[in-house]
Amino acid sequence: DTAVSQTPKYLVTQMGNDKSIKCEQNLGHDTMYWYKQDSKKFLKIMFSYNNKELIINETVPNRFSPKSPDKAHLNLHINSLELGDSAVYFCASSQTGTSGVPFFGPGTRLTVL
Amino acid sequence: AQSVAQPEDQVNVAEGNPLTVKCTYSVSGNPYLFWYVQYPNRGLQFLLKYITGDNLVKGSYGFEAEFNKSQTSFHLKKPSALVSDSALYFCAVRDMGGSQGNLIFGKGTKLSVKP
């Protein structure tokens, strides 16, 4: 299936731990994104990245870092997890350009205890 | 700065009736507008987009949206609602201030269709 996939689907961890969420797309897109959806369902961009440029939303703590081993992957690393990091994290990808439609992964529900 | 507003937290419709989910936008320049749907515990599914051209855009699952430049609106519509349309709907605008054009989302509108 052509899609955007994320692992794991659920992640439960303790405060202070470091965790990663993986994202892969097989749509041949050249831009990938990470979005955060909070408990009120608000969606906010965290990062957008293509092979030329990483754009970071200035409100994202530097404990969050994206890493892209290749064009098809954009993983999210989170250090020193805090309670407020609990949310659903969505990966997405699109072709660069005004008409490119972002396609979203199924989400990773992160719960920090 | 680009933004979208969804003025209704929830819309309630009887099955078989027409539905409208409202969205207004604020952009500098031409707007690039999108609608997505999110079912419970699922990711966002693309419904339709407006880039340029006809003001009435047809999308997936029988949905359409009407672009109105004078009212800066992009309302989502469907002639006959189904119970299975019950979900959370997001309007979004492309952020043209950055080079990669990520989407800026409204707060979402919960659509409830009753039998």
Side-chain angles (χ1 to χ4, degrees), chain A residues 3-107:
Chain A
V4 180
S5 59
Q6 296 177 228
T7 53
K9 190 170 174 64
Y10 299 97
L11 185 54
V12 181
T13 188
Q14 300 288 330
M15 276 176 53
N17 284 350
D18 303 337
K19 290 293 179 185
S20 295
I21 306 172
K22 294 185 177 181
C23 177
E24 176 181 5
Q25 57 95 5
N26 61 6
L27 298 165
H29 291 162
D30 57 7
T31 302
M32 296 185 73
Y33 314 85
W34 278 104
Y35 284 83
K36 178 181 180 180
Q37 185 174 44
D38 66 19
S39 59
K40 295 184 178 179
K41 305 297 186 183
F42 293 146
L43 279 157
K44 282 192 71 173
I45 183 71
M46 299 178 71
F47 306 98
S48 56
Y49 181 77
N50 63 24
N51 58 5
K52 298 176 185 174
E53 190 177 14
L54 170 66
I55 297 180
I56 303 171
N57 184 319
E58 62 186 15
T59 66
V60 175
N62 58 14
R63 298 180 294 101
F64 290 78
S65 58
K67 287 186 171 50
S68 179
D70 55 58
K71 243 176 72 164
H73 297 84
L74 184 65
N75 303 324
L76 183 63
H77 297 272
I78 317 169
N79 295 326
S80 303
L81 278 155
E82 300 179 357
L83 293 176
D85 298 332
S86 295
V88 181
Y89 292 85
F90 288 102
C91 178
S93 71
S94 75
Q95 281 300 120
T96 301
T98 55
S99 60
V101 175
F103 286 89
F104 284 76

Side-chain angles (χ1 to χ4, degrees), chain A residues 35 48 53 98-100 102, chain B residues 36 38 49 94 96 99-100 103:
Chain A
Y35 284 83
S48 56
E53 190 177 14
T98 55
S99 60
Chain B
Y36 285 81
Q38 184 179 26
K49 67 180 180 183
R94 176 144 260 149
M96 301 309 294
S99 62
Q100 292 169 13
L103 298 187

